[in-house]
Amino acid sequence: MNDAIRGRSGRADIIDGEAVAEQVRREVTGAVEQLRAADVTPGLATVLMSDDPASETYVRMKQRDCEEVGIESRHVELDTDAPQSELFATLDALNDDPEIDGILVQRPLTESVDEPAALRRVDPAKDVDGFHPENVGRLVTGDPRFVPCTPLGVQRLLTEAGVEIPGSDVVIVGRSELVGKPLANLLLLRGEGGDATVTVCHSKTAELEAHTARADVVVVAAGVPELVTGEMLSEGTVVIDVGINEVGSGEDRELVGDVAQEDAAEIAEAITPVPGGVGPMTRAMLLRNTVVSAARKSGVDIDLA
């Protein structure tokens, strides 16, 4: 059995994001060892300016991830009532710091901050999240520097699950700047992991089922619980569920994806679970981007898939 597959649900193979993320972390650890052998220590800075509990948890997880693979992490937390100028000054200092190879501005930021302006403030060469307009433009024009972590993780999941991406009919449900748009551009790139025929659907798309039913691969990142059901798919489709939604309350609270999992698993050839599918890959690809940044800056060759 493929290492990316962890058994079955209904007729569908379960694509194990945890297992693939662990593989990526092992690769990153090896690359870190190569960098350290050349007296280079990769460094990632996280910047938090929010009292959002989920963001605080996510930053702590990223710090643990860095420690696990040997990346130095630095965390800067700003008061939510601090002026925007303080955030910008913090980013300027990190841009100029030679010990920092990657900068991640944890979103959402406090409401008083111009979030797009904050993302533009990050040095594009340290923008390991891939959201600076320069990096977005480079991806669109076929010369990517950093690809946003979730789309990069989705691509890796498809590859590890044995999907032949070139020539595949891929339907992406959701056109966000975080997932839908960059993933479409990534899968359109020429070469390995690209050359797909990509359709992006969204809230104004008429007859969504007409698109999903003809696809070889369906990626759902719409933020709508269980939007895509089994009857909207064709047999043999590979389904990547990016969504994670909290539904219910109290003892009935549960996390569900943007795909009706049990229903879809009776039709699909393979599907990612929620949780344990795309989420772990997002964090792993942040580590990868950070190490790639350190290697580029130092000129050290590393072995990284």
Side-chain angles (χ1 to χ4, degrees):
M1 179 181 292
N2 187 316
D3 289 342
I5 304 299
R6 68 150 196 244
R8 300 177 72 83
S9 174
R11 72 176 299 274
D13 290 331
I14 301 299
I15 304 173
D16 190 346
E18 294 282 5
V20 180
E22 177 58 31
Q23 179 180 336
V24 173
R25 287 192 293 269
R26 288 196 299 268
E27 294 167 0
V28 169
T29 300
V32 170
E33 291 172 354
Q34 290 176 304
L35 288 167
R36 287 182 177 269
D39 294 322
V40 176
T41 301
L44 173 67
T46 54
V47 180
L48 179 66
M49 193 176 185
S50 167
D51 54 10
D52 175 44
S55 292
E56 294 172 354
T57 299
Y58 196 40
V59 166
R60 286 195 297 271
M61 294 167 70
K62 291 169 182 173
Q63 291 174 306
R64 288 197 299 268
D65 290 341
C66 285
E67 182 178 0
E68 179 183 335
V69 300
I71 294 173
E72 292 292 327
S73 66
R74 184 186 306 175
H75 180 57
V76 181
E77 189 164 339
L78 303 175
D79 290 337
T80 55
D81 58 357
Q84 178 171 278
S85 59
E86 185 174 337
L87 171 63
F88 286 5
T90 297
L91 295 175
D92 290 344
L94 293 172
N95 287 337
D96 294 337
D97 191 332
E99 295 184 356
I100 297 299
D101 301 294
I103 301 170
L104 182 140
V105 179
Q106 182 64 43
R107 295 189 280 174
L109 293 166
T110 188
E111 291 183 359
S112 62
V113 170
D114 182 342
E115 193 169 279
L119 297 179
R120 291 193 299 271
R121 198 80 177 199
V122 175
D123 181 350
K126 294 187 177 184
D127 169 40
V128 289
D129 232 6
F131 294 126
H132 189 284
E134 180 178 315
N135 289 326
V136 172
R138 290 185 63 154
L139 175 59
V140 170
T141 57
D143 183 29
R145 177 194 280 129
F146 295 115
V147 174
C149 301
T150 299
L152 197 59
V154 169
Q155 182 192 50
R156 180 66 181 264
L157 284 174
L158 291 171
T159 300
E160 294 296 331
V163 175
E164 291 291 334
I165 297 175
S168 288
D169 189 341
V170 179
V171 169
I172 301 170
V173 183
R175 56 178 169 181
S176 73
E177 309 294 334
L178 298 176
V179 182
K181 290 179 181 178
L183 179 59
N185 285 303
L186 178 62
L187 297 182
L188 284 170
L189 292 178
R190 298 178 186 274
E192 185 178 357
D195 286 322
T197 300
V198 181
T199 301
V200 178
C201 299
H202 47 80
S203 60
K204 302 301 182 183
T205 298
E207 299 181 6
L208 176 60
E209 180 178 346
H211 297 280
T212 57
R214 64 169 168 74
D216 302 309
V217 176
V218 174
V219 182
V220 192
V224 179
E226 300 186 330
L227 171 66
V228 172
T229 62
E231 65 183 11
M232 300 170 67
L233 304 170
S234 296
E235 289 190 6
T237 305
V238 174
V239 178
I240 305 293
D241 190 350
V242 180
I244 184 162
N245 310 281
E246 184 176 310
V247 298
S249 60
E251 294 182 356
D252 296 327
R253 174 185 172 275
E254 62 176 333
L255 295 177
V256 300
D258 289 357
V259 177
Q261 287 272 326
E262 291 186 11
D263 191 27
E266 295 299 328
I267 302 296
E269 177 179 323
I271 191 170
T272 55
V274 176
V278 175
M281 293 300 298
T282 299
R283 290 163 47 200
M285 289 308 184
L286 175 65
L287 303 175
R288 185 188 186 282
N289 279 353
T290 301
V291 169
V292 167
S293 178
R296 286 175 180 157
K297 190 172 73 172
S298 64
V300 176
D301 290 330
I302 57 174
D303 298 324
L304 206 55

